[in-house]
Amino acid sequence: MNPLTLPVSRTPAYVIDVAALKKNLQTAARIKKESGCKILLATKAFATPATFPIMREVLDGTTASGLYEAKLGREEFGKEVHVFSPAYKEEEIKEFLGLADDIYFNSIAQLRRFLPTVKQAGKKTGIRFNPGYSKATVGGALYDPCSPTSRFGILPKELDQVPWDDVHILHAHALCEAMHDGSVGLIEHIGKNFGPYIKRVKAVNFGGGHFINKKGYDVDALIKAIKEFRAAYNVEVILEPGGALVYNAGYLVATVLDIHPNEKNTAILDASATCHMPDSLLIPFTPPVIGAGEPGAHPHNYLLGARTCMTGDVFGEYSFPQPLKAGDQIIFGDGLQYNLVQATTFNGTPLPDIVLLNENGKCELARGFGYEDFRKRLG
Ligand SMILES: Cc1ncc(COP(=O)(O)O)c(C=O)c1O
């Protein structure tokens, strides 16, 4: 049995730990206060409106990867809305401009094409470039925005063709779950190699992937690097983390439905890696389970698998102090980042409830889902 159970009325459920979220936000607040930078929430990683009143108290706004995220940021979060897309469509640019304060382009061709419309709307432009900094990403080439075949950002050799008089923000996103050495390294790399271009803009956005709430991340080192950069170039600095803001601030809670014996015993759960934690299969990684250890650490070993038809829909192999049985609760840690935003109903699997674990220890349902949500999408 796990030492911890959560008082949810049904599973699967994503449980947002409000106290942990606030603690994470305190790190962002300190970075902002001590370095003078702005911090935006990258809504691609987490975008649950029920938490926005808390997040909005600290963060400066949101950054969107597409139209719907921009609309969500504008309608539900408020404050600043930044947008980056690898390419915009002619018919949607006006809608984007109605929602965003700052619109970032991925090519000089798109920047030139849409510049008159952006100016007419009185909005600000950014240009994303590829700083060629691949040192601090997890997950290999799949997650390296600076890889030689990356489609993100203009290349350094194109920088001279940018109409700088019309560009407000220089943007680079190069990190994935990077510790302070990655964040500081990126800031120093850009400062050292791209000075003439930094001098042409009002702000530099160092993207996401700064894993500021991970144990061992030296927040003071990041603050120092931002302060030095701002002092050297007299520009505003923006960070747009996603995952780090909700890192370890919630759970995916499941129930054991049955135990399937084979060479290894599988505990079949009502949660699915494919549907509810897809990155764990894609990156891949084995998500932590509260009260469980690596195989062999405790006497009772199990694979934790889903009830979908996909053979590989397995969270991983774990060991438990006691045998598992139907009805036991399984709590996956770090259950929020990139999970709620990517969840699917493959196989007719229900979407997990979204639950707030309030500071008084009580769970509050923020949103439940049902057959209608599945049916609607199928047309
Ligand atoms: C442009 C951009 N900004 C911010 C982020 C957020 O990154 P993270 O959630 O790793 O902090 C991403 C993630 O892919 C991104 O592509």
Side-chain angles (χ1 to χ4, degrees):
M1 281 287 277
N2 291 334
L4 175 71
T5 54
L6 284 163
V8 289
S9 56
R10 61 178 187 174
T11 60
Y14 293 117
V15 177
I16 299 163
D17 183 336
V18 171
L21 178 61
K22 284 188 176 172
K23 197 159 164 268
N24 279 358
L25 288 166
Q26 277 169 18
T27 313
R30 178 156 91 85
I31 294 168
K32 279 183 45 160
K33 184 162 174 263
E34 293 181 25
S35 76
C37 75
K38 277 187 180 173
I39 301 186
L40 307 169
L41 165 68
T43 44
K44 71 189 72 196
F46 180 78
T48 299
T51 63
F52 286 175
I54 300 168
M55 302 188 95
R56 180 192 300 137
E57 273 180 32
V58 170
L59 305 174
D60 295 281
T62 54
T63 183
S65 346
L67 203 47
Y68 297 162
E69 278 188 15
K71 203 167 161 63
L72 187 85
R74 173 56 64 218
E75 289 181 356
E76 303 282 350
F77 199 101
K79 300 185 101 173
E80 291 182 26
V81 177
H82 294 227
V83 170
F84 162 78
S85 176
Y88 298 94
K89 288 182 181 179
E90 186 79 45
E91 65 268 25
E92 65 188 14
I93 197 77
K94 287 219 169 87
E95 197 175 350
F96 264 117
L97 290 170
L99 299 165
D101 300 292
D102 299 81
I103 183 158
Y104 299 39
F105 292 93
N106 193 48
S107 75
I108 293 169
Q110 280 238 321
L111 172 60
R112 287 195 188 282
R113 180 169 159 204
F114 292 120
L115 195 55
T117 322
V118 178
K119 278 176 146 175
Q120 205 178 25
K123 301 299 168 87
K124 289 177 283 187
T125 59
I127 185 86
R128 178 167 174 173
F129 87 114
N130 176 343
Y133 188 84
S134 295
K135 284 186 207 158
T137 51
V138 300
L142 191 62
Y143 289 88
D144 178 8
C146 298
S147 79
T149 55
S150 165
R151 65 189 183 286
F152 302 125
I154 63 168
L155 296 174
K157 66 181 180 199
E158 295 177 278
L159 284 165
D160 283 329
Q161 299 163 41
V162 173
W164 289 107
D165 288 345
D166 291 314
V167 173
H168 186 84
I169 303 174
L170 181 64
H171 178 240
H173 169 72
L175 309 175
C176 183
E177 298 195 5
M179 297 299 281
H180 55 276
D181 51 344
S183 304
V184 172
L186 175 67
I187 294 168
E188 288 179 354
H189 171 80
I190 291 180
K192 209 162 93 195
N193 294 293
F194 301 101
Y197 308 104
I198 299 165
K199 288 182 184 148
R200 303 297 307 272
V201 293
K202 298 275 183 298
V204 177
N205 182 330
F206 290 106
H210 310 271
F211 226 35
I212 54 174
N213 283 304
K214 177 112 179 198
K215 197 161 176 257
Y217 188 105
D218 183 349
V219 170
D220 290 313
L222 172 67
I223 291 169
K224 182 168 171 282
I226 296 172
K227 279 170 78 173
E228 284 172 3
F229 188 89
R230 290 186 61 224
Y233 289 105
N234 192 27
V235 285
E236 183 172 85
V237 164
I238 303 166
L239 304 180
E240 49 178 35
L245 296 171
V246 292
Y247 172 63
N248 272 345
Y251 313 94
L252 171 61
V253 186
T255 301
V256 175
L257 302 176
D258 201 4
I259 306 294
H260 188 272
N262 202 332
E263 272 184 30
K264 292 180 177 182
N265 288 331
T266 297
I268 299 179
L269 309 181
D270 58 0
S272 151
T274 305
C275 300
H276 307 146
M277 205 180 267
D279 272 359
S280 67
L281 300 178
L282 197 64
I283 288 181
F285 65 89
T286 303
V289 168
I290 311 291
E294 290 181 2
H298 300 295
H300 304 281
N301 271 24
Y302 295 90
L303 296 167
L304 296 183
R307 52 180 172 158
T308 67
C309 64
M310 200 188 115
T311 309
D313 193 353
V314 174
F315 288 94
E317 187 174 358
Y318 303 83
S319 67
F320 293 82
Q322 307 290 337
L324 291 181
K325 59 181 187 323
D328 283 350
Q329 203 179 72
I330 298 290
I331 303 176
F332 294 97
D334 193 22
L336 306 185
Q337 49 166 328
Y338 290 94
N339 290 339
L340 285 79
V341 291
Q342 293 192 95
T344 71
T345 53
F346 174 60
N347 267 216
T349 305
L351 288 168
D353 285 343
I354 299 177
V355 173
L356 295 177
L357 171 60
N358 287 318
E359 286 164 294
N360 60 10
K362 295 214 164 88
C363 279
E364 177 194 340
L365 182 68
R367 175 88 156 87
F369 302 92
Y371 171 72
E372 272 313 306
D373 298 287
F374 166 75
R375 173 68 189 85
K376 229 189 223 167
R377 278 190 44 213
L378 296 174

